[in-house]
Amino acid sequence: MKVRIDERLEDAQMIKSWAKFLKAKKIIIANDEIEKMDLEKEIIRMSLDHIRVDFIQVEKLKDKLENEDNKESLIFVKKPEDLKSLEDDKISSIELGFMAFKEGFKL
């Protein structure tokens, strides 16, 4: 499973580009904010009509990954700390995307 950390989770074009580049069969977007945004979710799903897209809360990410085969999945999160609950051996790569500098930011 591959992971991309990027603050632009509402950007359907960015998600589509990375899904194509990394040949993802499924996309999981783990973010508490976008999980509640019906319009943004629909736009992303429409732009990726050939790929399954799941939106979940960050706290449910670990459980979701334990219950499904995610070898060809691409997971998007907004912040590095969103990955704290995951086991390292399940992640094949982490792509660092756009992360704006903010006071107190730590990687």
Side-chain angles (χ1 to χ4, degrees):
M1 128 183 74
K2 297 175 177 93
V3 174
R4 179 160 175 91
I5 303 169
D6 201 307
E7 289 187 2
R8 304 168 295 167
L9 296 181
E10 301 87 9
D11 185 346
Q13 186 61 41
M14 182 273 299
I15 293 170
K16 182 177 181 175
S17 296
W18 278 102
K20 183 177 179 180
F21 179 72
L22 295 173
K23 297 176 177 66
K25 303 283 188 216
K26 179 172 68 172
I27 292 177
I28 300 169
I29 299 175
N31 181 265
D32 298 342
E33 297 161 11
I34 199 167
E35 195 265 335
K36 298 174 187 171
M37 301 171 145
D38 293 333
L39 178 62
E40 286 81 356
K41 291 190 312 189
E42 189 60 30
I43 291 169
I44 291 168
R45 282 192 176 113
M46 286 173 39
S47 72
L48 295 161
D49 60 346
H50 61 289
I51 299 175
R52 177 179 160 189
V53 182
D54 293 335
F55 298 89
I56 61 169
Q57 295 174 344
V58 172
E59 67 185 30
K60 296 180 180 177
L61 181 59
K62 182 179 179 181
D63 291 337
K64 179 162 187 64
L65 297 178
E66 288 177 354
N67 296 321
E68 294 182 18
D69 178 21
N70 294 293
K71 285 184 180 180
E72 296 180 339
S73 294
L74 174 56
I75 299 166
F76 286 91
V77 295
K78 199 169 204 168
K79 305 173 290 202
E81 55 264 26
D82 293 342
L83 300 173
K84 282 183 180 177
S85 68
L86 301 185
E87 297 173 24
D88 293 341
D89 63 335
K90 294 187 180 204
I91 299 172
S92 61
S93 68
I94 297 177
E95 304 283 335
L96 295 178
F98 179 79
M99 292 186 291
F101 176 78
K102 296 180 182 112
E103 191 69 34
F105 177 78
K106 294 179 183 176
L107 187 60

